[in-house]
Amino acid sequence: MSETAGPGRWDVANTALRSAADRFTELVAAAPSPTAMVTDDWTLADTVAHVVSIAALYVSRLDGTEVAIRVPGLEDMLAVTNVDTVADVNSHVLAHFTERDPEVLLSRLNTAVAHLLATTADPLSTVSWLGNARVTVGGLFAHLTNELLVHGWDVARALRRPWPMPDEHAALYWDLFMFDMLRDSYGVLLNTELPMPRHHVSVQFRSEFTSTTTLTLGDRRVWIAPPDGPFDARVTFRPARFNLMMFGRISIAQAVLRRDVVIGGPRPWRLPAFLRVVHMPNGRLAPAETQRADRPLRDRPNDDAG
């Protein structure tokens, strides 16, 4: 775990997860109907079930037990998943996890979150994740927090409710989850079978809330470059809005026009080739044949619920 992801960040991760879960619960409990469409494909109840399934997976990872939600072939499927096939996993899980009562789901979510927050596991220890990536316990907390924030944004937008996303909490996704995973092993999570750029591409990521980190793509792999090394493009970002962009909730154009994301550096034109491979589950960035199971509603006039 990086210096910026030490004990102080672990405390923030605990606070962020508890806060996000409480706010998500309050938002969902106040919704008028569990069948309201929250994304193009998912109802509010589907969305909550998805988040519960992730929390249940993380409890199983920390405890070293089977996932409480019985899904045939889940472990085999998770082992070969990459960012462009996550939608297949989501669809498979939701087809077998059929609980859709919001009250029951929220109870399961909060039981799982309480279990996670009570862990005595070393936050630096790692567990197996999607695509056989290795993620720290702190990274699990950061990822689940991001799921609650992003899907809370989906719900709030559908209900036309405000949904503040603290940048300090959103930033954990990068320092504790993404960057630390790349320092250890991302397994097959990043789809490096996609067409690669002719030259190595290095992108520096900068934010007030994260460590400045440079990622390099080349030779069908991705790695963290030396902090004082050269880079092609620089991405300066506000974490909450950057996460919404990377997960397809707002467009790159929206993020750039609002200066939530500022792109610079000596060769910024190389950034698209980098993002073709190094991206999150996102229908806007994924290969054309890839489908998402949680695309946000496109007919909403306001993208500013966060």
Side-chain angles (χ1 to χ4, degrees):
M1 189 177 288
S2 61
E3 291 181 4
T4 57
R9 296 291 268 173
W10 175 236
D11 291 341
V12 175
N14 278 262
T15 299
L17 179 54
R18 180 71 275 167
S19 172
D22 288 347
R23 292 174 54 226
F24 185 85
T25 297
E26 180 181 1
L27 179 69
V28 171
S33 171
T35 60
M37 295 305 297
V38 169
T39 72
D40 282 351
D41 302 287
W42 287 356
T43 65
L44 182 144
D46 294 332
T47 300
V48 182
H50 166 68
V51 175
V52 170
S53 71
I54 294 172
L57 173 65
Y58 291 175
V59 168
S60 77
R61 289 298 188 256
L62 260 63
D63 290 353
T65 57
E66 291 187 4
V67 182
I69 297 170
R70 303 303 181 192
V71 178
L74 178 61
E75 292 295 342
D76 289 340
M77 195 173 192
L78 293 178
V80 297
T81 297
N82 64 48
V83 295
D84 296 324
T85 59
V86 167
D88 298 332
V89 176
N90 292 340
S91 297
H92 183 66
V93 170
L94 289 181
H96 290 87
F97 178 39
T98 57
E99 180 62 67
R100 292 297 184 272
D101 183 327
E103 186 174 348
V104 174
L105 290 169
L106 290 176
S107 176
R108 294 188 67 163
L109 173 64
N110 282 287
T111 297
V113 168
H115 188 92
L116 292 171
L117 290 171
T119 185
T120 58
D122 181 354
L124 299 170
S125 61
T126 63
V127 298
S128 177
W129 201 68
L130 276 66
N132 276 332
R134 300 297 301 181
V135 175
T136 65
V137 173
L140 291 186
F141 279 38
H143 183 270
L144 183 53
T145 296
N146 186 66
E147 288 290 311
L148 289 160
L149 291 176
V150 171
H151 289 296
W153 187 90
D154 290 338
V155 174
R157 187 168 180 246
L159 300 179
R160 303 187 187 279
R161 294 276 300 277
W163 182 250
M165 292 175 62
D167 283 311
E168 184 181 23
H169 295 176
L172 296 170
Y173 179 85
W174 299 98
D175 271 341
L176 296 189
F177 175 73
M178 188 67 180
F179 296 155
D180 275 349
M181 178 179 63
L182 291 174
R183 288 186 180 92
D184 193 315
S185 173
Y186 60 83
V188 298
L189 186 64
L190 297 180
N191 188 1
T192 53
E193 295 306 309
L194 292 170
M196 300 288 283
R198 288 185 299 171
H199 308 284
H200 288 187
V201 179
S202 294
V203 179
Q204 183 186 83
F205 293 89
R206 303 186 59 168
S207 165
E208 176 185 349
F209 301 91
T210 62
S211 56
T212 297
T213 304
T214 300
L215 305 183
T216 298
L217 168 67
D219 304 322
R220 298 205 173 278
R221 63 190 184 97
V222 182
W223 66 94
I224 292 184
D228 56 351
F231 55 86
D232 298 295
R234 178 192 294 115
V235 177
T236 304
F237 62 96
R238 172 189 163 196
R241 297 291 290 182
F242 187 52
N243 290 4
L244 290 175
M245 185 196 87
M246 292 299 288
F247 282 87
R249 269 51 185 183
I250 62 174
S251 68
I252 293 176
Q254 286 173 295
V256 169
L257 287 172
R258 286 181 47 141
R259 298 189 65 80
D260 295 317
V261 175
V262 178
I263 299 171
R267 290 169 292 278
W269 57 86
R270 291 188 175 180
L271 182 59
F274 177 90
L275 291 176
R276 184 168 60 237
V277 175
V278 186
H279 58 256
M280 308 303 111
N282 181 346
R284 300 176 192 258
L285 296 175
E289 67 273 14
T290 301
Q291 298 295 319
R292 289 193 51 170
D294 63 340
R295 297 184 303 272
L297 293 170
R298 300 300 187 197
D299 58 348
R300 297 290 178 180
N302 179 17
D303 268 324
D304 297 324

